[in-house]
Amino acid sequence: MNDLTVVTHNGNFHADDVFSIAALRHVLPEFKLVRTRDAQLIAQADIVIDVGGEYDPAAGRFDHHQRGGAGERENGIPYSSFGLIWQKYGLQLCHDDENIVKAVDSSLVSTIDAIDCGHVEGVSQGISLSQTISMFNPTWQEESEFDRCFDEAVEFAMRILSRFIASASGSISAKAIVAKAIESADDPRVIVLEQYTPWKKTVHALSQQALYMVYPSHSGKWILQTVPVEPGSFEDRKSLPKAWAGLSDVEFQTETGIDDAMFCHNGLFIAGAESFTSIMKLASMALQDE
């Protein structure tokens, strides 16, 4: 394994070659990296990324610059070298979970591929991760130590890739937990989670009846939160009672008659109480409010 040689191009680098090497660093912790365009060195390498004009995963060749490219996804986004590496090693990086592989491809890999290949339709505006990686290149006013800058970019990309994988794994696990909570709810309008779990996408996909979510906060208190009409919306399916708006502590306790009620946000989308029993009382009161 220590004798493996990986080649990518030298000089100015981009997100696709940086993330490709970052992915390989996770899969193959030990290898010699050579940044060159020397045809002889490319031919001798075990793995070649983003240079060489050839795509042959069995032979360790992962370029996309050749005539005809290296294929595209069903949605039309072509593969850059990162996408080609992801096809080869994604399952290994994601603990053999195809769902995580697809989620990371959708959220990270395909976006980097699209930008690298000039396929910008549907790519969000603003500072992209691809632009951020490019900022690691030395400016014209700095000494051109491209290899050192490349290594720094790879370290950054390794961390980002790990977090994308972790996030995708967490989202998939959360979906199963929330789906079970919806199925087992005593009242389909109030969904109770035993621990905080990202819930909005799953609730909107699986329940038209859910109005409120109940879950413990990190401090152990209990939260009652409204379900928005759609993810990202500030309009709720059913807001909390107007009389609660902005109240906290004694004022909130007096208004609700619940001695451990804590607060209600002025926006009427979230409230808190010390105990589970009390938060469920608040949920019941909110359901009955006209």
Side-chain angles (χ1 to χ4, degrees):
M1 188 73 70
N2 294 356
D3 296 332
L4 277 177
T5 298
V6 176
V7 164
T8 189
H9 62 81
N10 57 1
N12 208 56
F13 50 83
H14 305 94
D16 70 323
D17 43 305
V18 167
F19 269 93
S20 294
I21 298 299
L24 286 183
R25 289 291 186 199
H26 283 297
V27 176
L28 309 169
E30 298 293 334
F31 60 81
K32 179 183 179 182
L33 175 63
V34 178
R35 300 187 70 236
T36 183
R37 292 185 184 274
D38 185 295
Q40 184 174 352
L41 293 176
I42 291 171
Q44 294 172 350
D46 297 290
I47 299 174
V48 179
I49 294 170
D50 208 38
V51 70
E54 182 182 4
Y55 173 47
D56 182 353
R61 268 49 187 167
F62 300 92
D63 197 13
H64 65 107
H65 295 100
Q66 57 272 20
R67 180 176 293 182
E72 62 182 35
R73 296 166 175 80
E74 291 182 2
N75 61 6
I77 295 178
Y79 290 102
S80 78
S81 294
F82 185 29
L84 301 178
I85 286 289
W86 191 250
Q87 285 191 103
K88 174 76 172 181
Y89 296 104
L91 272 175
Q92 190 171 346
L93 279 160
C94 296
H95 315 293
D96 293 320
D97 191 318
E98 186 66 41
N99 290 322
I100 299 176
V101 173
K102 291 178 180 178
V104 175
D105 183 79
S106 176
S107 62
L108 173 66
V109 185
S110 65
T111 299
I112 288 175
D113 282 4
I115 292 172
D116 191 79
C117 295
H119 186 94
V120 296
E121 182 179 352
V123 176
S124 299
Q125 299 297 311
I127 299 298
S128 68
L129 190 53
S130 293
Q131 289 172 297
T132 301
I133 291 294
S134 292
M135 298 297 287
F136 280 84
N137 282 288
T139 71
W140 66 274
Q141 295 171 307
E142 299 171 326
E143 294 184 12
S144 300
E145 298 181 16
F146 280 97
D147 288 353
R148 177 182 59 79
C149 293
F150 182 85
D151 290 342
E152 291 175 355
V154 167
E155 290 182 15
F156 173 78
M158 288 178 68
R159 181 62 175 161
I160 293 295
L161 181 57
S162 292
R163 297 315 302 156
F164 266 90
I165 293 171
S167 177
S169 177
S171 295
I172 291 168
S173 297
K175 182 177 180 180
I177 292 171
V178 176
K180 183 177 180 181
I182 292 171
E183 182 180 354
S184 61
D186 293 331
D187 184 333
R189 299 172 297 173
V190 181
I191 310 302
V192 178
L193 301 173
E194 295 181 0
Q195 66 180 87
Y196 174 75
T197 310
W199 53 266
K200 290 183 181 179
K201 289 184 179 180
T202 304
V203 168
H204 282 89
L206 300 182
S207 175
Q208 296 297 318
Q209 295 176 278
L211 300 178
Y212 303 121
M213 300 297 297
V214 169
Y215 55 86
S217 69
H218 295 299
S219 64
K221 315 302 183 186
W222 285 86
I223 298 297
L224 172 66
Q225 186 171 350
T226 58
V227 176
V229 293
E230 60 184 26
S233 174
F234 290 100
E235 181 183 355
D236 300 313
R237 290 180 177 178
K238 182 175 176 56
S239 297
L240 299 175
K242 292 182 180 179
W244 296 0
L247 300 182
S248 62
D249 301 327
V250 175
E251 288 183 330
F252 192 33
Q253 293 161 11
T254 300
E255 173 64 34
T256 61
I258 297 175
D259 59 10
D260 64 348
M262 296 168 56
F263 73 94
C264 179
H265 194 280
N266 196 50
L268 297 174
F269 69 92
I270 193 168
E274 294 275 355
S275 66
F276 175 72
T277 299
S278 294
I279 207 71
M280 293 303 290
K281 288 180 181 178
L282 289 176
S284 179
M285 294 170 65
L287 287 172
Q288 297 171 24
D289 182 67
E290 298 297 336

